[in-house]
Amino acid sequence: MPTPISTDVLIVGAGVAGLWLNARLRRAGWSTVLVEQGSLGGGQTLKSQGIIHGGAKYALHGALTGASEAIADMPRRWREALAGTGELDLRGVRLLSEAHYLWSPGTLAGNLTSFFASKAVRGRVDAVKGDQLPPALQNPAFKGKVYRLAELVVDVPSLVARLAELAQGSLLAAERLEPLREGNQVVGLLVDGREVRAQRLVLSAGAGNETLLNALGVSQPAMQRRPLHMVMAKGAALKPLYAHCLGGGPKPRMTVTTHPAPDGQWVWYLGGELAEAEGVARSEAQQIAAARHEVSQLLPWVDLSQVHWATLRVDRAEPAQSGLVRPDNAFLADDGPLLVGWPTKLALAPDFADRVMAAFNRDGIQPGPAMPLPELPQPPLGKTAWEALP
């Protein structure tokens, strides 16, 4: 029989939320075990665009929303962590772009000039032009306007790898998870037959939370799946671009991030309105055709003749909301020793950790005596979808 484990906190789900929380707790002196049934970051995390939002895109209708205010401090916290001076030491994580941009086609530029001068976003954005423009927009044919956001874009695979280093042997690969109870109280999990007991059990497994809650016989909090149909484009003609292209509504018409492929080429990863309702309903061929049309309309100088296209369907797992809307903040529900949550966006992983640690503080939970962990089977690092593109 494998050796039983006793720890302060048992976390299930090694996406960005679980990995960040695990690293925060260990740095604060807690003993932890982080269980993963698949690969590290292999659920939603490595399917994200890596944008550390500061909220500007949520103010496109002209007023600051709950979402824009809740997320406003995230870029600062991430920048400090990336510099090694924040709540975690993320030195070594690759920064893909020091800024994210808002870009408006020429037809919308006049309206946006007055909007970006408004109090709603003053101090959050700066107009740029000429050689300050992103490389993909440095073309004489470009007639729109571009605004630089005080945000950033991280390379998610290197982020996951660094957070795994900070786990310091606390990661545990698993195939089968079963509740471990004493009376009616959950005291941990059976992980492939091994007892893992903890003061607190935190579920941060994204879509996997639903299955775990069912196994625990818990019906709340309920989960929703908000589907996206993302597009990937790879080719030598593509230059780096990290930007929301603005349409006429409150959501970006298209969001572009650029990621390195193993062969050194760039991959454009396209989301925004393109990937939502109408995009979800399209077949892969239809979605690729729609994306080609959008890029041809918005960036007509880009040669798409040798670009390879593919799509990726993503289910954003979140706490259930009326009307399937996107939650504003990281979410956490707790009932005694069981805590269940979703960060709702990669950028909000620090907020998720804050909420867990605040719950421990409220309940007077303190780290116990340090207990050395046995050598544990480690889950593999996940891979991005674009690594498989030819």
Side-chain angles (χ1 to χ4, degrees):
M1 290 290 290
T3 307
I5 295 172
S6 180
T7 189
D8 292 325
V9 185
L10 173 56
I11 307 166
V12 183
V16 68
L19 286 164
W20 192 290
L21 172 64
N22 188 59
R24 280 275 303 276
L25 289 170
R26 294 185 70 79
R27 188 168 188 177
W30 297 78
S31 64
T32 65
V33 172
L34 174 53
V35 176
E36 173 55 52
Q37 289 182 284
S39 58
L40 302 178
Q44 290 179 212
T45 298
L46 287 167
K47 298 181 179 74
S48 75
Q49 292 188 284
I51 306 165
I52 308 305
H53 291 289
K57 83 165 189 173
Y58 303 128
L60 296 182
H61 64 298
L64 295 178
T65 65
S68 62
E69 290 300 276
I71 206 170
D73 198 37
M74 291 300 113
R76 178 193 64 80
R77 291 177 66 176
W78 279 80
R79 285 185 192 279
E80 289 177 355
L82 292 166
T85 60
E87 59 212 65
L88 297 179
D89 182 355
L90 297 185
R91 285 175 295 178
V93 174
R94 181 176 181 179
L95 189 61
L96 293 177
S97 180
E98 285 280 358
H100 205 248
Y101 295 83
L102 291 170
W103 130 60
S104 62
T107 53
L108 295 173
N111 293 336
L112 287 169
T113 299
S114 59
F115 167 66
F116 285 119
S118 72
K119 289 191 296 183
V121 293
R122 192 177 299 153
R124 297 185 178 213
V125 297
D126 296 299
V128 297
K129 56 186 177 180
D131 60 5
Q132 295 179 323
L133 292 172
L137 302 181
Q138 291 184 18
N139 188 285
F142 178 67
K143 303 300 181 186
K145 288 190 178 291
V146 178
Y147 300 85
R148 186 183 193 273
L149 304 179
E151 300 181 351
L152 59 154
V153 186
V154 298
D155 177 60
V156 180
S158 68
L159 169 66
V160 171
R162 176 58 183 152
L163 290 171
E165 288 177 2
L166 296 178
Q168 302 171 319
S170 62
L171 303 176
L172 173 58
E175 294 183 4
R176 190 177 74 259
L177 301 178
E178 302 169 82
L180 180 62
R181 291 188 172 90
E182 287 185 353
N184 293 325
Q185 187 89 327
V186 176
V187 295
L189 294 173
L190 286 171
V191 181
D192 295 334
R194 182 203 298 262
E195 284 192 7
V196 184
R197 294 173 175 266
Q199 295 189 65
R200 289 292 183 266
L201 172 61
V202 181
L203 305 188
S204 62
N209 280 355
E210 193 171 56
T211 301
L212 291 164
L213 289 170
N214 288 337
L216 292 166
V218 177
S219 60
Q220 294 294 325
M223 192 187 81
Q224 69 184 27
R225 286 178 170 83
R226 189 163 51 87
L228 301 173
H229 195 181
M230 306 291 288
V231 179
M232 297 174 286
K234 179 184 176 184
L238 304 182
K239 296 180 180 180
L241 180 59
Y242 302 90
H244 304 297
C245 177
L246 304 179
K251 293 183 179 181
R253 176 174 172 179
M254 183 171 69
T255 296
V256 185
T257 51
T258 311
H259 305 266
D263 61 5
Q265 292 192 59
W266 290 112
V267 176
W268 279 2
Y269 192 35
L270 311 178
E273 194 75 28
L274 170 72
E276 298 196 20
E278 292 185 12
V280 171
R282 297 184 187 116
S283 67
E284 181 177 24
Q286 291 169 334
Q287 182 71 335
I288 289 171
R292 286 185 66 106
H293 177 76
E294 281 287 80
V295 173
S296 297
Q297 290 288 307
L298 297 168
L299 305 166
W301 54 87
V302 177
D303 180 5
L304 301 178
S305 61
Q306 300 301 313
V307 170
H308 179 85
W309 299 83
T311 70
L312 177 65
R313 292 191 179 272
V314 182
D315 274 339
R316 296 292 300 272
E318 301 163 340
Q321 306 282 299
S322 177
L324 206 66
V325 297
R326 172 190 44 77
D328 282 347
N329 309 303
F331 173 89
L332 183 73
D334 61 291
D335 182 12
L338 177 64
L339 297 88
V340 185
W342 294 266
T344 74
K345 296 193 79 63
L346 180 137
L348 285 164
D351 182 44
F352 177 78
D354 288 348
R355 291 168 188 269
V356 172
M357 296 177 81
F360 293 171
N361 185 60
R362 180 202 65 208
D363 294 343
I365 305 300
Q366 298 292 327
M371 300 284 288
L373 289 172
E375 187 171 341
L376 301 175
Q378 300 291 291
L381 289 170
K383 295 187 176 182
T384 63
W386 48 86
E387 290 182 54
L389 293 177

